[in-house]
Every structure is written in C-alpha cells, then in structure tokens.
Amino acid sequence: MSALIPVPGGLAERRPGAGRALVFRAVQAANRGTGRAGAAGAALRVLDSAQPLDAGTFWQALLVLTHADEIGPAHRRWAGATGVRGDVHALLGGRILLRRGDPRAAVRLLESAPTGDARLRLVAVAWLVLALTEAGDPGRARAVLEAERLAGAPAGHPDDAELHFARGRLLLAEERHAPALDEFLACGRLLESRGVVNPAVLPWRSSAALAAAGCGDLVLARICADKDLVAARRWGGPRAIGLGLHAAALARGGDDVLLEEAITYLGRSSTAGEALRARHDLAQLLLARGKVERARKHTRCLREAAAFCPQWTDIVRALEHRLLRQDGESALSAQERRVALLARAGRSNREIAAELDLTVRTVEFHLTAVYRKMGVAGRPGLRRAFVPTA
C-alpha cells in the first residue's frame, strides 16, 4: 500500500463506489497540491459515511487528512475505526502519532505492526526510520535500513520515494549532507514522474535545501527552498509553509524574520519536532550574531517544550551551555564567519588559508575565537552549530 496515496492492486475493494470515487478525487487534489479544504472535506465525508470502507479507501482518506494538516480529525477517525485490517491500522496510527509530535509512541506502534504483507513492508520501513530519526535514535534507524537492504527491497516499488526521503532524513541527522542531498533529489525525481508536486506529501525540496546548505551550496539551497515555498503556499497547509520558510531562512545564510514566521506556521500544525528544530536554529543564529537576550528567550521555550519531547533534552542543554559562556561579545566577525563556514564545510586549515589568502596560523587564531564565541568543542561541534553567512 503506497504512502503516496495510490492503492496497490489486491488491497482495495475492486467494486467501484461513491466513497472510492470521492476519495480518489481528493487524492488527485492532494497530489497536485490544490484545493486543500475541498480534499479534506471529501476525506471526512468518506470516513464519516455509514458505508463500510475497504482498507485502501480508509488508507487514502486518512492520508489526505494528514497531508491537509487535519491531524486532530485524522487521529479521532483512526482511533474510532473498527473492522480495519490490523497492519493498515497500526501503520496509519504510527504516521499520525509522528505528525502529532510523539515519535517514540510512533516507533512503538510501527514496530508492532504486522509485516507479513510485502506490499506494506517498504512504507513500514520508511515510516519507522523517520520515527526513529525524529526520536533521536539514528543507530536503530540505520539498523532497520540495513535489515531491509538484506531482505532485498524490490526495485521500482511505488514507495521508493518514501524510502529515499527517510534515508535522506537519517543522513541529514547524521550530518552527512552530500549523500542526504542525493537521496532527496532521487525522491523528487520519482515524485515528479508520478505527478506528485505537493510538498505536504513529502517535503523533499525543503529537506534538499537544508542538505545543500550543509554542503555550502546556498544557490541550490535557495532554489529548492523557494520552489517548495511557492507550492506550499498554493496548497495552504501550515506545516509545508513552515518547512519552506525554515529552509528559505537557512538558504539565505540565516534570516531571523523568516525563522520567526516558520515557527508560527509550524506551531499551528501539530509538528512539535519541526517547530523545535526551527526555534533551535533561530536561537543558534541569534547567538552567533550576539543577540543573547533574544536567544535566551527562545532557549527558554525550547526547555519548556523538551519536557514533552525528551529526545530534545540533550540538544537544549548544549544550547544552554553555549548561553552560559557568552560574555556579551559573542558575535562573529566577518572574517571569523568566512573561516567558520569553510571549516564547517570540511576544508582543512591549509585549504582555508589558501582560499582566504591568510597564513595557517591566522586561520588557527580565528577558529579558536569561533569555538570560544560559539561555545563548541572543535570542528565536530562546529558542524552541529549554525553559522550565519552575514
């Protein structure tokens, strides 16, 4: 059963019906990224009808609701559903819980889902990898992917795009930006070949923008982010708009206004982890620019949210440690920013010196100042910190 909303042969009821026709039109609208309110309304009418639903129609209707950011109604219909196949019910529940900002509960449900049906296995693996990555457990996510590789995933599966996206998110969490970018672009090619242009289905361009920015390619990052934002605004879902704004802010080297707007949109869409990520990047940006009081305000919000998202506890502690080390002179100079960006991209001290026409000793002096001001321990810490371009 495909996460991109079409239903594979054999799982759906073959007899045409009004409910199936209605949800099919909603699916088309969701894939095109137009008519969000109408698509969500159609999905609700199908789910609330007195007619019994086959597994495929139930699957499609609930996914349309999640793509429309109607997470509360989707959760209520999922929780109250009866007579739905156990594997379908468990997988959809895991997806909804992940969107509600509870990746650990999503992991438990996805791991409990029966995996005997090969047509469901790939989407189950992709969603479990995403949930484990969001829960801060990349090691287990990597193990799940390796087990799937050994099992021999079929080529040309409808859910290849989902698997590419999940692998990309894991690589991004591991700070392996170049292979992450490759996965997101592969995901995008598959989606476009199937006529899926709505970033609410899979926000591959926003994620590609983050990976490209991590590689130092801000031109590609800005192209990806801006295209995603245009499509997201056309659909109108707050999550896709928020993700597009977040990516656009980082693609511009750090735009605090866009990040503030991203936090507002993501806060409307029950996407706790994604809103926290945007707020964390904003706090890091403000710290790097010496705006310590504003950074403290956002760090307090992160600390309060971490009580409900324990996977964020260590990240918030690291940010608080950086705040404690600020002495009021934390803003990086223009030369320090240039050195830090090159070091973050993996250049050696000698390569940085040659590119900026400096001595190696001067590069070392600037990096020492960068580490002190940003409160990070060497290059590994620098790769995890946000460095504004201006």
Side-chain angles (χ1 to χ4, degrees):
M1 188 167 301
S2 174
L4 304 179
I5 316 186
V7 182
L11 287 186
E13 184 70 39
R14 295 188 181 278
R15 289 171 298 176
R20 287 193 63 201
L22 188 60
V23 83
F24 179 72
R25 289 194 292 272
V27 165
Q28 288 182 313
N31 286 340
R32 288 194 308 266
T34 57
R36 181 172 71 102
L44 285 171
R45 287 197 297 278
V46 169
L47 290 167
D48 293 341
S49 68
Q51 301 275 335
L53 301 179
D54 63 81
T57 302
F58 182 73
W59 177 275
Q60 289 178 315
L62 269 184
L63 282 181
V64 168
L65 285 183
T66 62
H67 296 332
D69 289 336
E70 298 290 346
I71 305 302
H75 184 261
R76 289 192 293 274
R77 270 68 176 184
W78 168 79
T82 58
V84 179
R85 274 177 40 177
D87 50 0
V88 170
H89 194 261
L91 287 176
L92 286 171
R95 182 65 166 179
I96 291 168
L97 287 172
L98 182 58
R99 286 292 314 276
R100 280 168 63 93
D102 194 348
R104 295 187 177 190
V107 166
R108 290 192 293 271
L109 197 50
L110 291 167
E111 286 184 326
S112 73
T115 55
D117 192 331
R119 291 167 294 190
L120 289 171
R121 192 181 78 237
L122 222 58
V123 67
V125 167
W127 288 357
L128 180 56
V129 168
L130 280 175
L132 286 166
T133 302
E134 284 295 311
D137 199 345
R140 283 178 65 199
R142 179 63 56 193
V144 170
L145 280 176
E146 179 62 16
E148 176 62 18
R149 185 187 68 80
L150 293 174
H157 191 281
D159 288 310
D160 280 349
E162 281 276 349
L163 203 55
H164 279 299
F165 185 78
R167 281 198 295 255
R169 292 303 306 184
L170 174 58
L171 288 164
L172 202 57
E174 294 172 334
E175 299 168 21
R176 298 166 62 190
H177 298 107
L181 179 59
D182 290 340
E183 293 288 353
F184 294 132
L185 294 177
C187 171
R189 286 192 292 271
L190 286 171
L191 291 179
E192 289 180 343
S193 72
R194 295 167 188 160
V196 180
V197 297
N198 186 359
V201 175
L202 279 178
W204 68 270
R205 282 196 187 91
S206 291
S207 295
L210 299 180
C215 294
D217 190 344
L218 293 184
V219 174
L220 177 59
R222 188 163 178 169
I223 290 170
C224 289
D226 289 353
K227 283 188 174 181
D228 219 42
L229 191 51
V230 168
R233 291 194 189 280
R234 183 170 60 243
W235 175 241
R239 175 179 179 251
I241 294 173
L243 292 176
L245 287 165
H246 184 189
L250 299 193
R252 285 160 172 76
D255 185 319
D256 57 329
V257 175
L258 288 179
L259 280 170
E260 293 271 14
E261 192 178 356
I263 292 166
T264 299
Y265 273 100
L266 291 171
R268 297 174 187 164
S269 63
S270 302
T271 53
E274 290 159 343
L276 289 174
R277 195 172 293 117
R279 193 179 293 278
H280 179 259
D281 283 346
L282 177 57
Q284 287 198 98
L285 170 65
L286 294 170
L287 265 176
R289 289 181 173 162
K291 300 177 181 179
V292 178
E293 288 308 312
R294 285 182 64 196
R296 284 201 177 99
K297 182 193 80 168
H298 288 287
T299 303
R300 283 195 295 270
C301 293
L302 286 167
R303 188 192 310 121
E304 292 166 4
F308 304 97
C309 301
Q311 67 271 22
W312 276 84
T313 301
D314 290 342
I315 299 172
V316 174
R317 282 178 184 155
L319 191 57
E320 289 176 328
H321 178 67
R322 285 185 62 191
L323 274 166
L324 287 172
R325 297 183 60 171
Q326 300 307 311
D327 57 6
E329 297 293 334
S330 61
L332 301 181
S333 69
Q335 190 73 291
E336 287 166 351
R337 280 198 304 273
R338 286 190 283 270
V339 170
L341 286 165
L342 290 171
R344 191 175 186 271
R347 306 285 183 86
S348 68
N349 288 0
R350 192 172 297 280
E351 289 170 334
I352 296 171
E355 181 157 342
L356 299 181
D357 196 23
L358 303 171
T359 66
V360 173
R361 185 174 183 130
T362 300
V363 170
E364 292 170 349
F365 173 80
H366 284 316
L367 280 175
T368 299
V370 167
Y371 300 152
R372 175 180 58 78
K373 290 181 177 183
M374 298 189 69
V376 298
R379 285 173 180 258
L382 186 60
R383 282 194 297 273
R384 288 188 292 272
F386 179 70
V387 182
T389 57

